[in-house]
Amino acid sequence: MIQQNPVMRICISCRKTFDRKNLLKITKDHKQGIMFQNGIGRSAYICKSKKCYSDSKIKKKLQKALKTLLEPEFIDIFEQELSSYNDFSNKGI
Ligand SMILES: [Zn+2]
């Protein structure tokens, strides 16, 4: 019987714990900079709750979590990413 325990991560906005599959992962990759759902480096997770991903302070929270400064264009890219992840759970890594 193979049963994998879900990997649990904390949403940086509401601080609740979720199965990683249900979160959007933002990574500060060593080489490529900010990446979504991919990349190696310091990562932050945001849950599907609209309250969290549309939080006006989300950029600040991400900067703190990733220990980096995000470019002004980040929010545009972030919103584009979100719209392409209508259902994050279908986008396993
Ligand atoms: Zn959340």
Side-chain angles (χ1 to χ4, degrees), residues 11 13-15 18 46-47 49 52:
C11 167
S13 188
C14 62
R15 314 296 302 175
F18 296 90
I46 299 172
C47 77
S49 159
C52 288

PDB file of all heavy atoms in Angstrom, residues 11 13-15 18 46-47 49 52, ligand 1:
ATOM      1  N   CYS A  11       0.809  29.207   4.276  1.00  0.00           N
ATOM      2  CA  CYS A  11       0.531  30.375   3.433  1.00  0.00           C
ATOM      3  C   CYS A  11       1.124  31.604   4.116  1.00  0.00           C
ATOM      4  O   CYS A  11       0.897  31.823   5.310  1.00  0.00           O
ATOM      5  CB  CYS A  11      -0.975  30.525   3.266  1.00  0.00           C
ATOM      6  SG  CYS A  11      -1.475  32.097   2.564  1.00  0.00           S
ATOM      7  N   SER A  13       0.348  34.557   3.815  1.00  0.00           N
ATOM      8  CA  SER A  13      -0.620  35.600   4.118  1.00  0.00           C
ATOM      9  C   SER A  13      -1.486  35.251   5.336  1.00  0.00           C
ATOM     10  O   SER A  13      -1.495  35.979   6.314  1.00  0.00           O
ATOM     11  CB  SER A  13      -1.479  35.864   2.894  1.00  0.00           C
ATOM     12  OG  SER A  13      -2.287  36.974   3.120  1.00  0.00           O
ATOM     13  N   CYS A  14      -2.202  34.124   5.282  1.00  0.00           N
ATOM     14  CA  CYS A  14      -3.088  33.781   6.407  1.00  0.00           C
ATOM     15  C   CYS A  14      -2.410  32.916   7.459  1.00  0.00           C
ATOM     16  O   CYS A  14      -2.986  32.678   8.520  1.00  0.00           O
ATOM     17  CB  CYS A  14      -4.363  33.114   5.895  1.00  0.00           C
ATOM     18  SG  CYS A  14      -4.086  31.562   5.021  1.00  0.00           S
ATOM     19  N   ARG A  15      -1.199  32.437   7.159  1.00  0.00           N
ATOM     20  CA  ARG A  15      -0.410  31.628   8.089  1.00  0.00           C
ATOM     21  C   ARG A  15      -1.067  30.283   8.406  1.00  0.00           C
ATOM     22  O   ARG A  15      -0.737  29.653   9.407  1.00  0.00           O
ATOM     23  CB  ARG A  15      -0.123  32.374   9.423  1.00  0.00           C
ATOM     24  CG  ARG A  15       0.348  33.797   9.281  1.00  0.00           C
ATOM     25  CD  ARG A  15       1.672  33.930   8.581  1.00  0.00           C
ATOM     26  NE  ARG A  15       2.752  33.205   9.247  1.00  0.00           N
ATOM     27  CZ  ARG A  15       3.985  33.107   8.766  1.00  0.00           C
ATOM     28  NH1 ARG A  15       4.286  33.683   7.624  1.00  0.00           N
ATOM     29  NH2 ARG A  15       4.896  32.440   9.395  1.00  0.00           N
ATOM     30  N   PHE A  18      -1.404  24.254   4.593  1.00  0.00           N
ATOM     31  CA  PHE A  18      -2.104  23.593   3.493  1.00  0.00           C
ATOM     32  C   PHE A  18      -1.217  22.528   2.866  1.00  0.00           C
ATOM     33  O   PHE A  18       0.006  22.594   2.975  1.00  0.00           O
ATOM     34  CB  PHE A  18      -2.449  24.597   2.382  1.00  0.00           C
ATOM     35  CG  PHE A  18      -3.403  25.670   2.792  1.00  0.00           C
ATOM     36  CD1 PHE A  18      -2.928  26.851   3.322  1.00  0.00           C
ATOM     37  CD2 PHE A  18      -4.766  25.503   2.633  1.00  0.00           C
ATOM     38  CE1 PHE A  18      -3.802  27.868   3.711  1.00  0.00           C
ATOM     39  CE2 PHE A  18      -5.645  26.504   3.009  1.00  0.00           C
ATOM     40  CZ  PHE A  18      -5.164  27.689   3.548  1.00  0.00           C
ATOM     41  N   ILE A  46       1.518  30.712  -1.236  1.00  0.00           N
ATOM     42  CA  ILE A  46       0.281  31.468  -1.044  1.00  0.00           C
ATOM     43  C   ILE A  46      -0.885  30.541  -1.349  1.00  0.00           C
ATOM     44  O   ILE A  46      -0.866  29.809  -2.348  1.00  0.00           O
ATOM     45  CB  ILE A  46       0.230  32.702  -1.970  1.00  0.00           C
ATOM     46  CG1 ILE A  46       1.407  33.633  -1.659  1.00  0.00           C
ATOM     47  CG2 ILE A  46      -1.088  33.453  -1.793  1.00  0.00           C
ATOM     48  CD1 ILE A  46       1.538  34.777  -2.645  1.00  0.00           C
ATOM     49  N   CYS A  47      -1.906  30.572  -0.508  1.00  0.00           N
ATOM     50  CA  CYS A  47      -3.051  29.683  -0.700  1.00  0.00           C
ATOM     51  C   CYS A  47      -4.027  30.257  -1.715  1.00  0.00           C
ATOM     52  O   CYS A  47      -3.862  31.368  -2.213  1.00  0.00           O
ATOM     53  CB  CYS A  47      -3.729  29.371   0.628  1.00  0.00           C
ATOM     54  SG  CYS A  47      -4.767  30.700   1.255  1.00  0.00           S
ATOM     55  N   SER A  49      -7.011  31.197  -1.383  1.00  0.00           N
ATOM     56  CA  SER A  49      -7.993  32.149  -0.906  1.00  0.00           C
ATOM     57  C   SER A  49      -7.762  33.527  -1.551  1.00  0.00           C
ATOM     58  O   SER A  49      -6.654  34.057  -1.527  1.00  0.00           O
ATOM     59  CB  SER A  49      -7.893  32.249   0.616  1.00  0.00           C
ATOM     60  OG  SER A  49      -8.455  33.462   1.044  1.00  0.00           O
ATOM     61  N   CYS A  52      -6.070  36.129   0.306  1.00  0.00           N
ATOM     62  CA  CYS A  52      -4.620  36.044   0.439  1.00  0.00           C
ATOM     63  C   CYS A  52      -3.898  36.520  -0.808  1.00  0.00           C
ATOM     64  O   CYS A  52      -3.050  37.389  -0.724  1.00  0.00           O
ATOM     65  CB  CYS A  52      -4.209  34.606   0.750  1.00  0.00           C
ATOM     66  SG  CYS A  52      -4.650  34.138   2.424  1.00  0.00           S
TER      67      CYS A  52
HETATM   68 ZN    ZN B   1      -3.739  32.074   2.772  1.00  0.00          ZN
END
